[in-house]
Amino acid sequence: MNIKLSGISEQKLKKAPFFSGGARELVRAPHRFFLQLTRDYGDVVQYRATPESAFLLNHPDFVKHILVSNGRNYNKDTHLNKYMLQAVTGQGLLTSENPLWRKQRRLIQPFFHRRYLANFADLMVAATDETLARLDRYASQNEPFDMANEMMTLTLNIVSRALFGYDTDAQAEQIGEAVNTLIEIAKPKRKRFQETLKVLDAIVFDIIQRRRQRPHAEQHDLLDMLIQARYEDSGEGMSDQQIRDEVMSLLIAGHETTANTLGWLWYLLAQQPAVVSQIEAELEAVLNGRTVTVADFPQLLYCDKVIKEAMRLYPSAWSISRRALVDDEIGGYEIPKGAIVAVSPYTLHRHPTFWPEPEKFDPERFTPEQEAARHRYAYIPFGAGARKCIGDQFALMESIIILPTTLQRFRLQLVPDHPIDEHALVTLRARQGILMTATVR
């Protein structure tokens, strides 16, 4: 694959097929719109459904080029990142650019190492038990509940406690409502958005200031680490504003995406009794009724496959966009300076070349042999390259705790006739939630 960073005039490059229109489809179901574009036009298509045209690229080679091998030529100066996300997260890891991004990533990365994250396992189990206590009450009354909402509450409790310890328990409901409101509105100019953001800011800044006034001797949670971290070059710590931006990034990205993954996971498993039986057999063999621990993770191989397959079909971050800094060539196609390029994990994870029967739920796609044989960038639920999600191991750890802990206690069924519609906003949600009932084992 040729790369032309200094211009593309030296050879005649192909023009991507162009699709004009589709504004209604893009608003109604953008993930399905992208999928249809690739089916109709192939792995490279230029489309205009908004004021700015963009290139949709749908091949693992192109993913590698944009996010890895030539990632320096593509920044996050797009509508989603700059207008919607940055309004909440400021200059946090989610939206900042170099050199600030690289500086912050180096500072924060050690806090997300697997060995350190093991310290949060008990916290995750305790939060899951609280959620299951609610499900137990629903089960005793045969009352339906929104599993998508339960997962939102659960993952927000987990990430809040990982960030702030138990300092925020009294404000957990207020924080949860604020975060969900910001994501659902996703329009920073609206008055309600601004008012909600002020409420959340006040809570976060207050916690930061109180923590600075009574610093711990040891690092107990992620906020302590952010406060105590020091830049190598200057020995200085982060400002309150920068800590706030990183906290907001972790709050938004750290609960919304995992909650969606888990919601879709329960939706899929409710339709797959054979898969559930196989999970139960693994849990009986490995856990025999006891609580899952970090030491059990390597033995929960089928649970791991099930989680990965759910993320294939329903990647929460369903779209990734970048802007080209200079002219480029991808697969023989001309990508001009300033162009928006889009990669959709939702679409990529359904590429028939890499995923036979792509709409079928099949955890056996993730055997070691299948994973080794598949293109490395055919599966990107957490993105790829330098800007791959910093919290990927945290999210996987949550899932591998929540899945077995829940199935040890309950059988879950979908409420008949309740519509389940995919709703692609910033993340991929269920539009009307996921109504379920629970039966105690």
Side-chain angles (χ1 to χ4, degrees), residues 53-298:
S53 65
F55 291 84
L56 177 61
L57 304 166
N58 190 52
H59 192 282
D61 287 342
F62 305 157
V63 171
K64 180 180 179 182
H65 182 91
I66 296 165
L67 300 182
V68 184
S69 57
N70 198 26
R72 291 178 181 271
N73 186 47
Y74 294 90
N75 69 13
K76 300 187 79 171
D77 183 17
T78 65
H79 177 81
L80 172 64
N81 295 315
K82 295 298 182 182
Y83 174 70
M84 296 169 67
L85 292 177
Q86 200 171 81
V88 179
T89 65
Q91 291 299 310
L93 281 180
L94 201 58
T95 55
S96 60
E97 300 284 3
N98 282 326
L100 175 61
W101 174 82
R102 190 171 300 278
K103 184 179 181 181
Q104 290 299 112
R105 179 86 180 204
R106 286 175 177 168
L107 193 66
I108 297 172
Q109 182 72 61
F111 306 153
F112 286 88
H113 192 280
R114 288 185 186 184
R115 284 175 295 183
Y116 182 79
L117 292 180
N119 296 325
F120 295 122
D122 290 344
L123 176 157
M124 293 177 179
V125 170
T128 304
D129 284 341
E130 291 172 16
T131 294
L132 298 187
R134 283 197 303 275
L135 266 56
D136 196 45
R137 291 194 291 273
Y138 294 132
S140 66
Q141 301 173 21
N142 196 28
E143 182 181 344
F145 54 89
D146 182 354
M147 193 59 159
N149 186 62
E150 290 296 331
M151 293 300 99
M152 285 287 177
T153 301
L154 171 54
T155 58
L156 183 62
N157 283 341
I158 289 173
V159 75
S160 296
R161 291 173 185 176
L163 275 167
F164 307 119
Y166 287 82
D167 286 358
T168 57
D169 275 10
Q171 299 164 302
E173 185 174 346
Q174 192 177 14
I175 292 173
E177 289 179 359
V179 170
N180 284 326
T181 297
L182 294 174
I183 291 170
E184 287 172 359
I185 295 176
K187 293 183 179 179
K189 291 184 179 180
R190 285 195 178 178
K191 182 179 179 181
R192 187 179 172 208
F193 184 100
Q194 293 295 329
E195 291 174 345
T196 303
L197 185 58
K198 286 180 181 178
V199 170
L200 191 56
D201 269 346
I203 294 172
V204 171
F205 275 121
D206 179 63
I207 294 171
I208 292 171
Q209 290 163 10
R210 284 191 283 113
R211 188 68 63 85
R212 283 199 189 278
Q213 292 168 5
R214 51 178 182 83
H216 294 292
E218 298 178 2
Q219 296 175 331
H220 293 286
D221 53 40
L222 291 173
L223 180 58
D224 282 331
M225 295 178 203
L226 292 174
I227 290 174
Q228 295 179 32
R230 294 293 179 267
Y231 297 113
E232 290 183 3
D233 57 348
S234 66
E236 296 180 353
M238 276 185 264
S239 67
D240 282 4
Q241 181 64 49
Q242 189 64 49
I243 291 174
R244 174 266 179 212
D245 290 352
E246 302 301 353
V247 164
M248 289 295 195
S249 296
L250 294 171
L251 271 177
I252 297 296
H255 98 280
E256 168 79 11
T257 52
T258 307
N260 287 327
T261 292
L262 289 165
W264 290 118
L265 173 62
W266 297 121
Y267 166 70
L268 290 165
L269 289 181
Q271 303 169 75
Q272 302 288 335
V275 172
V276 173
S277 294
Q278 194 162 341
I279 296 173
E280 291 170 346
E282 180 173 83
L283 299 182
E284 181 66 25
V286 176
L287 302 178
N288 194 26
R290 62 176 173 79
T291 300
V292 63
T293 68
V294 173
D296 298 314
F297 291 177

Side-chain angles (χ1 to χ4, degrees), residues 31-32 34-36 38-39 43 58-60 264 267-268 309-316 318 344-361 365 374 377-380 422 428:
H31 59 311
R32 285 286 171 180
F34 279 4
L35 187 61
Q36 193 60 50
T38 60
R39 289 173 176 171
D43 290 341
N58 190 52
H59 192 282
W264 290 118
Y267 166 70
L268 290 165
E309 176 68 346
M311 290 192 295
R312 180 188 72 83
L313 283 169
Y314 294 102
S316 189
W318 65 273
S344 172
Y346 183 93
T347 299
L348 182 71
H349 293 176
R350 287 168 168 75
H351 198 304
T353 300
F354 305 96
W355 306 99
E357 298 184 87
E359 297 289 348
K360 179 182 178 182
F361 181 75
R365 300 180 196 272
R374 193 162 43 240
Y377 297 102
Y379 180 69
I380 54 167
E422 300 166 12
L428 186 60

